């Protein structure tokens, strides 16, 4: 049975149009008739239709114009062409223009009924596929960014808010915090998701090669450049370009980046032709760009250009309540990949991981879990399956001990860190162990550590120990 549909019938033969409309209404369709292209556009603007049925000759107007208009302005509407002047070439041209099908006059009732049914069914399938694709896009954007932490939930809201903006986005955070994943999430949730996502690690290339990589080159630009080559800005046209480690760009490269981010125009290396692109740029760095500007290592005007929207990713130690969730995810992935029958980590192992400072953040956690799965001997992994830097066993240099003297605290890698940054890890471990030994009684913990409660509260917030889920880990 033909499903009921709302149909816009466009034909300059009023008598024929009304006769056909009456027959369609008897089949339970809702039909509106118009005679000109202007009337058809006005009707489409007023209300949605499931199907447009149009002649190709509308007085002095061309039905192909209506097909093109409907495809561009109302892509959800199926278009069925009905004409008395058709050739095989006309049919091909109509379908290429966006029509679903073409029927020739005089019409056969069953043929028209079947064409309407097929057009409506195909339109519904297309709509369902689009709904599914949008659902997958929404899920794919952030499905791999696992977190229940309030800091990350706020970042998820920001990602949704800025996804379709043209403005540059600067993602900052320590190494291993997931800057690339957030950049991909922004792209996947934007209108550009069907376009390319191109990633460039700026710190991995010398300046000359980086310029060629970003802007492309013409043949003969340098030794070995035998042919023209498109750069990443061109390859990302219509999509997103992710520039990682942007703070490593030299002053000369910063000048060129400033121009392309302002005008989205550039010349290839060795070329004179100016190219224009429609590329959304997301940048990332693990450095403090404010300090880099103060030190003269990063241009202030470029900093203001790239820092339109700044997403600051918290370190793993600041969202340590997410650790059990992340561990479970990485454990399942590693067990499947390695073909191991592993169920979980025991409570002591989880507590040991939560006590650690994680200088390498989520990337380091993933590696630790994979190592434990590979080397573990049973279905339940224990502290013995963790590397020495987490447990303090067999680690000699860079150790401190708590006031109890019975638990080793690793200072980790202190190279390039300020004194405060280097002490964050041991300080966090000491406070967490004291909180646990005092049953999370903050007053008793402050007394044990010989500090006042206000100082303890501030330290807990700064070190990510204010997450209530830590009490139940």
């Amino acid at each position: 049975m033909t499903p009921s549909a709302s149909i816009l019938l466009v034909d300059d033969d009023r008598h024929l149009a009304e006769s056909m409309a009456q027959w369609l209404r008897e089949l339970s369709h809702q039909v509106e008739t118009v005679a000109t292209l202007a009337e058809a556009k006005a009707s489409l603007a007023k209300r949605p239709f499931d199907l447009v049925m149009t002649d190709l000759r509308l007085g002095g107007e061309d039905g192909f114009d209506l097909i093109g208009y409907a495809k561009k302005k109302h892509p959800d509407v199926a278009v069925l062409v009905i004409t008395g002047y058709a050739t095989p070439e006309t049919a091909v041209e109509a379908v290429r223009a966006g029509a679903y099908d073409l029927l020739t006059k005089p019409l056969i009732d069953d043929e028209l009924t079947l064409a309407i049914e097929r057009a409506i069914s195909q339109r519904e399938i297309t709509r369902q596929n689009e709904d599914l694709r949008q659902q997958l896009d929404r899920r794919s954007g952030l499905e791999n960014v696992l977190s229940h932490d309030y800091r990350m939930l706020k970042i998820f809201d920001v990602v949704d808010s800025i996804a379709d903006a043209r403005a540059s986005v600067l993602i900052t955070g320590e190494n291993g915090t997931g800057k690339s994943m957030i950049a991909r999430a922004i792209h996947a949730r934007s209108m550009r998701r069907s376009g390319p996502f191109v990633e460039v690690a700026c710190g991995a290339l010398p300046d000359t090669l980086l310029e060629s990589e970003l802007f492309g080159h013409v043949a003969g630009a340098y030794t070995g450049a035998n042919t023209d080559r498109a750069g990443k800005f061109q390859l990302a046209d219509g999509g997103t370009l992710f520039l990682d480690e942007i703070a490593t760009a030299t002053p000369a490269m910063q000048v060129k980046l400033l121009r392309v981010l302002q005008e989205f125009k550039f010349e290839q290396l060795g070329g004179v032709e100016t190219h224009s692109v429609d590329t959304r740029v997301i940048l990332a760095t693990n450095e403090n760009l404010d300090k880099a500007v103060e030190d003269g290592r990063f241009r202030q005007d470029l900093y203001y250009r790239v820092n339109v929207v700044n997403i600051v990713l918290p370190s793993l130690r600041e969202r340590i309540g997410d650790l059990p969730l992340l561990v479970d995810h990485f454990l399942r992935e590693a067990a499947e990949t390695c073909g191991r029958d592993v169920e979980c980590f025991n409570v002591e192992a989880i507590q040991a991981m939560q006590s650690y400072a994680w200088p390498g953040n989520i990337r380091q956690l993933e590696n630790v879990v994979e190592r434990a799965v590979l080397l573990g001997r049973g279905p339940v992994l224990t502290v013995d399956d963790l590397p020495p830097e987490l447990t303090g066993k067999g680690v000699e240099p860079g150790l401190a001990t708590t006031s109890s003297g019975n638990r080793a605290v690793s200072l980790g890698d202190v190279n390039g860190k300020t004194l405060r940054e280097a002490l964050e890890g041991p300080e966090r471990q000491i406070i967490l162990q004291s909180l646990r030994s005092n049953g999370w009684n903050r007053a008793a913990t402050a007394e044990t550590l010989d500090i006042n409660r206000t100082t303890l509260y501030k330290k807990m917030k700064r070190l990510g120990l204010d997450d209530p889920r830590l009490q139940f880990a």
Side-chain angles (χ1 to χ4, degrees):
M1 180 179 178
T2 305
S4 177
S6 57
I7 300 175
L8 178 63
L9 182 57
V10 188
D11 199 314
D12 60 344
D13 187 335
R14 291 284 189 180
H15 177 73
L16 178 62
E18 286 300 332
S19 176
M20 186 181 297
Q22 182 60 37
W23 178 73
L24 291 171
R25 292 185 184 110
E26 291 175 359
L27 295 177
S28 301
H29 297 301
Q30 301 173 17
V31 185
E32 179 178 336
T33 61
V34 295
T36 67
L37 183 59
E39 290 175 342
K41 291 181 178 180
S43 295
L44 287 169
K46 287 179 183 178
R47 54 167 291 195
F49 289 91
D50 296 317
L51 178 66
V52 172
M53 296 172 56
T54 181
D55 197 345
L56 286 180
R57 295 188 178 183
L58 302 172
E61 298 175 318
D62 191 344
F64 280 103
D65 292 338
L66 179 57
I67 299 173
Y69 175 82
K71 182 179 180 180
K72 182 177 180 180
K73 298 293 185 179
H74 305 278
D76 290 339
V77 179
V79 179
L80 186 61
V81 174
I82 300 174
T83 181
Y85 308 93
T87 64
E89 291 76 17
T90 305
V92 171
E93 187 179 355
V95 172
R96 284 179 176 173
Y100 173 73
D101 202 352
L102 182 145
L103 301 178
T104 57
K105 301 175 182 177
L107 297 174
I108 301 172
D109 291 354
D110 290 344
E111 182 183 23
L112 178 58
T113 302
L114 180 60
I116 293 174
E117 182 177 355
R118 290 173 56 199
I120 299 304
S121 298
Q122 182 62 38
R123 175 181 176 275
E124 187 60 30
I125 291 172
T126 302
R127 179 182 292 174
Q128 291 175 1
N129 287 341
E130 177 63 20
D131 290 342
L132 287 173
R133 188 181 66 80
Q134 290 180 359
Q135 291 175 24
L136 289 172
D137 285 336
R138 287 194 293 270
R139 292 181 58 194
S140 67
L142 289 167
E143 66 177 351
N144 292 320
V145 187
L146 304 176
S147 181
H148 297 308
D149 186 87
Y150 72 92
R151 302 170 185 83
M152 293 301 295
L153 295 180
K154 288 182 178 179
I155 289 173
F156 296 164
D157 289 338
V158 172
V159 168
D160 281 332
S161 299
I162 66 171
D164 287 327
R166 177 73 182 272
S168 300
V169 179
L170 177 64
I171 306 174
T172 56
E174 297 179 9
N175 284 332
T177 50
K179 296 186 287 293
S180 177
M181 294 180 69
I182 293 297
R184 290 179 180 275
I186 294 172
H187 173 75
R189 297 170 83 84
S190 73
M191 297 293 288
R192 297 172 176 267
R193 57 182 171 269
S194 58
F197 179 89
V198 180
E199 183 171 351
V200 179
C202 298
L205 297 169
D207 201 36
T208 304
L209 289 180
L210 179 60
E211 181 178 356
S212 174
E213 189 76 8
L214 292 178
F215 307 123
H217 63 250
V218 299
Y222 56 86
T223 303
N226 299 320
T227 60
D228 293 353
R229 181 187 176 191
K232 299 299 187 184
F233 270 98
Q234 288 171 291
L235 295 177
D237 192 15
T240 302
L241 178 64
F242 176 49
L243 300 179
D244 199 5
E245 303 175 49
I246 190 60
T248 62
T250 64
M253 178 56 65
Q254 291 177 32
V255 173
K256 294 174 181 177
L257 282 174
L258 178 61
R259 182 205 170 193
V260 73
L261 291 177
Q262 285 176 332
E263 305 173 4
F264 288 93
K265 295 180 179 180
F266 59 91
E267 289 79 40
Q268 292 180 312
L269 183 63
V272 295
E273 181 183 354
T274 299
H275 297 269
S276 298
V277 291
D278 175 24
T279 303
R280 205 272 181 83
V281 180
I282 301 176
L283 310 97
T285 181
N286 63 344
E287 289 195 33
N288 184 334
L289 285 189
D290 285 320
K291 189 174 187 305
V293 171
E294 290 180 8
D295 296 343
R297 293 182 289 109
F298 200 83
R299 292 179 63 95
Q300 187 177 55
D301 47 4
L302 178 59
Y303 173 67
Y304 290 136
R305 171 58 58 182
V306 303
N307 195 31
V308 179
V309 178
N310 185 198
I311 296 178
V312 182
L313 294 184
S315 61
L316 180 55
R317 60 183 170 276
E318 292 175 302
R319 44 177 288 214
I320 204 68
D322 281 337
L323 186 137
L325 178 68
L326 293 166
V327 166
D328 181 68
H329 173 71
F330 293 141
L331 180 72
R332 294 178 187 278
E333 279 194 341
E336 182 178 351
T337 302
C338 302
R340 297 297 180 94
D341 185 16
V342 180
E343 296 177 3
C344 62
F345 284 90
N346 66 15
V347 174
E348 290 183 358
I350 293 293
Q351 288 183 346
M353 286 190 278
Q354 288 184 314
S355 299
Y356 184 60
W358 297 106
N361 292 292
I362 298 172
R363 187 181 297 125
Q364 183 187 10
L365 174 64
E366 182 177 10
N367 292 337
V368 165
V369 172
E370 184 177 4
R371 173 189 183 276
V373 170
L374 283 170
L375 302 181
R377 298 181 178 180
V380 177
L381 302 176
T382 69
V383 172
D384 293 333
D385 296 312
L386 299 177
E389 61 266 25
L390 267 74
T391 62
K393 298 177 182 179
V395 177
E396 294 299 329
L399 290 182
T401 57
T402 63
S403 56
S404 61
N406 60 4
R407 178 65 184 266
V409 180
S410 174
L411 292 175
D413 183 7
V414 299
N415 290 333
K417 294 184 178 180
T418 64
L419 179 62
R420 177 176 177 176
E421 291 170 342
L423 292 176
E424 274 188 354
E427 184 180 29
R428 187 183 184 286
Q429 290 176 273
I430 292 169
I431 294 174
L432 179 58
Q433 290 168 20
S434 184
L435 283 165
R436 283 175 172 159
S437 64
N438 286 289
W440 287 84
N441 184 312
R442 298 187 182 189
T445 300
E447 184 176 349
T448 299
L449 297 174
D450 196 23
I451 58 177
N452 64 53
R453 281 181 292 177
T454 301
T455 300
L456 175 63
Y457 297 157
K458 289 181 178 179
K459 287 180 178 292
M460 288 177 64
K461 186 173 183 179
R462 177 169 59 85
L463 297 171
L465 295 173
D466 56 340
D467 192 325
R469 287 172 293 175
L470 284 171
Q471 301 178 38
F472 307 104

